């Protein structure tokens, strides 16, 4: 996985442009309303979304790709970036919130559960989680080689898990789910090309 992303970041730079996802702005507003102070962003990429948080929260980004990390420290010097896998415990203290954009669907079931469990461990009791992921309403759902229920190699050498609402809720069972949603997301490359797809969101609270 690390090699795939490092090659893409090296060749394409800021793959999805410099604008944050609207979901990061939404998460920031929710975290602000709850007067939270610190945010963890697992799979932070080159810092497109961490920058939304680092202006007002103590922000930590965990990222596997060295090429992405090099761009991230330039683009968002206010965040603290940590090299390594988000599947392992990385922080030395718990945070108030986790924002995780389009990383959960990159894993097979065992690692999806490990990512969520690990995020919960690094989140203080009562803290908030905001995750986004691919949806089973996406046109790629069901395309390509079947790997596991809901998971397909939809492009050669690239697989993803496509969540139904019930599946997403089941992954976060054990938390207090505050909201789920489904929305169109448009990504813009630095060259101006656009790609629109459907993503699912979930907002949950770690039990006290
Ligand atoms: C689809 S991109 C999303 C990037 C970022 N969240 C954003 O919104 O710009 C997935 C990111 O997860 C990173 N990644 C994949 N597996 C990882 C892992 N085990 N630990 C940390 N980062 C990982 C990739 O290197 C890539 O930057």
């Amino acid at each position: 996985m690390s090699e795939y992303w490092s090659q893409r970041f090296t060749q394409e730079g800021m793959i999805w442009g410099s604008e944050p996802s609207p979901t990061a702005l939404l998460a920031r507003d929710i975290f602000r309303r709850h007067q939270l102070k610190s945010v963890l962003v697992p799979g932070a990429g080159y810092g497109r979304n961490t920058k939304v948080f680092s202006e007002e929260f103590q922000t930590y980004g965990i990222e596997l790709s060295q090429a992405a990390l090099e761009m991230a420290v330039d683009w968002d010097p206010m965040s603290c970036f940590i090299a390594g896998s988000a599947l392992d415990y990385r922080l030395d203290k718990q945070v108030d919130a986790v924002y995780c954009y389009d990383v959960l669907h990159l894993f097979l079931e065992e690692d999806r559960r490990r990512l969520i469990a690990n995020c919960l461990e690094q989140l203080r009791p009562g803290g908030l989680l905001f995750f986004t992921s691919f949806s089973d309403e996406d046109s790629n759902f069901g395309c390509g080689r079947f790997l596991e229920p809901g998971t397909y190699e939809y492009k050669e050498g690239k697989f993803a898990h496509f969540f139904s609402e019930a599946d997403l809720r089941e992954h976060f069972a054990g938390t207090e789910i505050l909201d789920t949603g489904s929305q169109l997301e448009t990504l813009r490359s630095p060259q101006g090309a656009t790609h629109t797809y459907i993503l699912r969101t979930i907002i949950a609270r770690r039990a006290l």
Side-chain angles (χ1 to χ4, degrees):
M1 174 112 62
S2 157
E3 208 174 298
Y4 168 84
W5 286 107
S6 272
Q7 198 176 8
R8 281 203 67 187
F9 288 123
T10 302
Q11 287 172 357
E12 300 174 51
M14 294 173 98
I15 305 171
W16 310 286
S18 56
E19 287 300 307
S21 164
T23 63
L25 303 176
L26 178 63
R28 179 194 60 191
D29 292 347
I30 294 168
F31 298 163
R32 202 184 263 167
R33 272 205 307 280
H34 285 80
Q35 301 181 314
L36 306 184
K37 303 280 181 241
S38 54
V39 182
L40 169 64
V41 182
Y46 51 83
R48 174 174 83 101
N49 291 316
T50 56
K51 205 175 171 78
V52 166
F53 302 108
S54 63
E55 286 161 9
E56 61 184 279
F57 306 99
Q58 172 71 59
T59 304
Y60 303 91
I62 299 176
E63 175 53 49
L64 201 55
S65 158
Q66 194 53 39
L69 283 166
E70 282 166 21
M71 289 190 278
V73 292
D74 279 346
W75 179 248
D76 178 18
M78 303 270 282
S79 280
C80 170
F81 290 100
I82 301 163
S85 175
L87 298 178
D88 301 324
Y89 198 97
R90 296 279 159 195
L91 300 183
D92 54 12
K93 60 177 179 184
Q94 289 179 316
V95 288
D96 295 331
V98 175
Y99 170 80
C100 188
Y101 181 90
D102 281 9
V103 176
L104 184 61
H105 59 239
L106 301 176
F107 300 104
L108 294 175
E109 177 169 8
E110 188 181 338
D111 280 345
R112 289 197 302 276
R113 299 205 182 273
R114 186 168 154 198
L115 176 64
I116 294 170
N118 193 47
C119 286
L120 280 168
E121 257 188 75
Q122 294 174 100
L123 180 66
R124 70 161 167 77
L128 298 184
L129 299 153
F130 190 122
F131 274 62
T132 78
S133 68
F134 280 3
S135 164
D136 65 346
E137 292 170 347
D138 189 289
S139 57
N140 282 315
F141 172 62
C143 295
R145 189 162 65 95
F146 171 91
L147 298 181
E148 284 179 356
T151 310
Y152 295 85
E153 187 181 342
Y154 67 106
K155 289 181 185 167
E156 201 182 324
K158 191 174 181 197
F159 70 83
H161 185 73
F162 296 83
F163 283 90
S164 67
E165 156 123 20
D167 185 17
L168 191 57
R169 283 180 172 273
E170 192 278 326
H171 275 68
F172 286 85
T175 68
E176 181 192 350
I177 297 172
L178 303 179
D179 196 22
T180 57
S182 190
Q183 62 198 69
L184 280 180
E185 178 86 347
T186 299
L187 297 171
R188 287 183 178 76
S189 77
Q191 293 74 32
T194 60
H195 167 64
T196 298
Y197 68 106
I198 300 170
L199 57 70
R200 288 195 185 278
T201 56
I202 186 161
I203 308 168
R205 193 195 327 260
R206 182 180 161 179
L208 285 170

